[in-house]
Amino acid sequence: MFMARVAEQGDRFEDMFSFLKDGVIKQRKDGHFTADERNLLSVAFKNLVSPKRTTWRTIIAVEHSTQGGPSSQTQAIAQYKAVIEERLHKDCEEIVALVLNYVLPRLAQSYGDVPKNVKDLEERAFFWKMAGDYYRYASEASQSTASREQRLPRFKKGALEAYNRAMELCKSGLLRPYNSVCLGLALNFSVFHYEVMGDPLKACQIAKESFESAIEVIDECSEEHFQEAQSILELLKENMNIWAVEAGIEFN
């Protein structure tokens, strides 16, 4: 963890990822990660893929702006987009593999197959959500022929399975609806259905159910966690309203 933090301070996020992967995730005997350690993993993973996601979006914008231009230019942009997609997919799949092959099995080994308390539930939900998120990122950046035909079906299936596993944990009854992991899961899962699956109705249903469940008991939320919960709730409501208008959905 120490060298990962050093790399983070130097903005060396690929090194940070390597330190965490080889020196922490693969070597750790105890599957438990504290909230601070989970945050460190999130920072490393996010900063590993974010530059490639940004590059991909830039290429898409350039591609749209140059439509109708020389065929050589169009072909060059398409080829570069495919290269960036492949690199992004490789990173996302490596992150998912670490979560599914190391982190979650060690949690089960340490605490048993069935979660027994809030801490255990939250930790497992966090990592299942993380797996879903990185499958989603890969799904969103899958426009090339190779990506659509060879990898996208696997990414979509993986995201659905991971998000559903996390949702089952959040709905088990031990985690409160305003728990930040559960709210973040609802936010990201609903975005997945809207952006990747093209299902605004399902996206709205997930957002609405999570929003209403949390609002009913938000007074129970501690001051320490209230601001984070409130910010996610605002995003859920905003998305839900936009999607409902676009899709012509009316909620009672």
Side-chain angles (χ1 to χ4, degrees):
M1 285 292 183
F2 173 75
M3 289 306 301
R5 294 184 190 281
V6 172
E8 179 187 13
Q9 291 176 20
D11 291 336
R12 293 289 302 172
F13 295 108
E14 290 190 1
D15 293 341
M16 182 185 183
F17 175 75
S18 295
F19 285 132
L20 288 170
K21 177 184 71 174
D22 298 324
V24 178
I25 297 174
K26 290 186 176 182
Q27 301 300 323
R28 175 166 292 199
K29 304 299 182 184
D30 176 13
H32 172 63
F33 285 86
T34 65
D36 185 53
E37 289 171 336
R38 295 200 303 267
N39 182 63
L40 196 65
L41 291 176
S42 295
V43 170
F45 295 168
K46 179 180 179 181
N47 283 284
L48 180 70
V49 304
S50 286
K52 297 180 183 69
R53 294 181 74 202
T54 300
T55 299
W56 183 84
R57 293 190 191 103
T58 301
I59 293 170
I60 294 298
V62 172
E63 189 175 45
H64 288 165
S65 67
T66 56
Q67 286 181 348
S71 59
S72 59
Q73 189 179 72
T74 302
Q75 185 177 5
I77 293 172
Q79 289 174 344
Y80 187 44
K81 179 175 67 176
V83 169
I84 296 301
E85 286 182 5
E86 187 172 0
R87 292 173 182 171
L88 174 61
H89 295 167
K90 178 178 178 294
D91 287 343
C92 289
E93 289 196 286
E94 185 172 13
I95 290 167
V96 170
L98 288 172
V99 172
L100 298 185
N101 298 334
Y102 290 91
V103 177
L104 285 166
R106 286 180 183 164
L107 277 172
Q109 185 178 10
S110 298
Y111 300 111
D113 291 330
V114 180
K116 298 178 178 63
N117 55 55
V118 170
K119 182 182 75 171
D120 187 12
L121 266 172
E122 182 179 82
E123 196 166 353
R124 294 190 204 212
F126 174 89
F127 283 113
W128 276 115
K129 171 187 171 294
M130 177 178 279
D133 286 343
Y134 284 90
Y135 271 134
R136 173 170 66 87
Y137 299 153
S139 298
E140 290 172 345
S142 292
Q143 286 196 1
S144 70
T145 301
S147 295
R148 291 196 312 270
E149 295 180 354
Q150 299 173 21
R151 298 186 289 271
L152 181 58
R154 182 173 75 252
F155 296 154
K156 291 164 72 172
K157 180 182 177 183
L160 279 171
E161 291 176 350
Y163 279 140
N164 280 322
R165 289 291 295 271
M167 193 66 77
E168 289 173 7
L169 293 168
C170 283
K171 291 183 175 181
S172 64
L174 286 177
L175 294 177
R176 302 303 288 155
Y178 51 75
N179 179 283
S180 62
V181 172
C182 296
L183 287 176
L185 168 64
L187 178 65
N188 292 3
F189 198 12
S190 60
V191 168
F192 170 77
H193 276 287
Y194 182 80
E195 296 286 352
V196 177
M197 303 302 290
D199 190 347
L201 177 58
K202 183 65 174 178
C204 285
Q205 288 172 340
I206 292 172
K208 181 174 183 288
E209 180 182 350
S210 177
F211 179 84
E212 292 182 347
S213 297
I215 286 294
E216 285 181 4
V217 293
I218 195 65
D219 290 343
E220 300 174 12
C221 186
S222 66
E223 290 186 14
E224 180 184 1
H225 299 108
F226 180 81
Q227 187 172 357
E228 183 176 12
Q230 186 180 41
S231 65
I232 301 175
L233 285 169
E234 289 173 356
L235 289 172
L236 279 169
K237 185 176 181 180
E238 181 181 343
N239 285 347
M240 182 173 60
N241 290 337
I242 293 172
W243 298 337
V245 171
E246 288 182 4
I249 301 168
E250 291 187 7
F251 290 110
N252 296 328

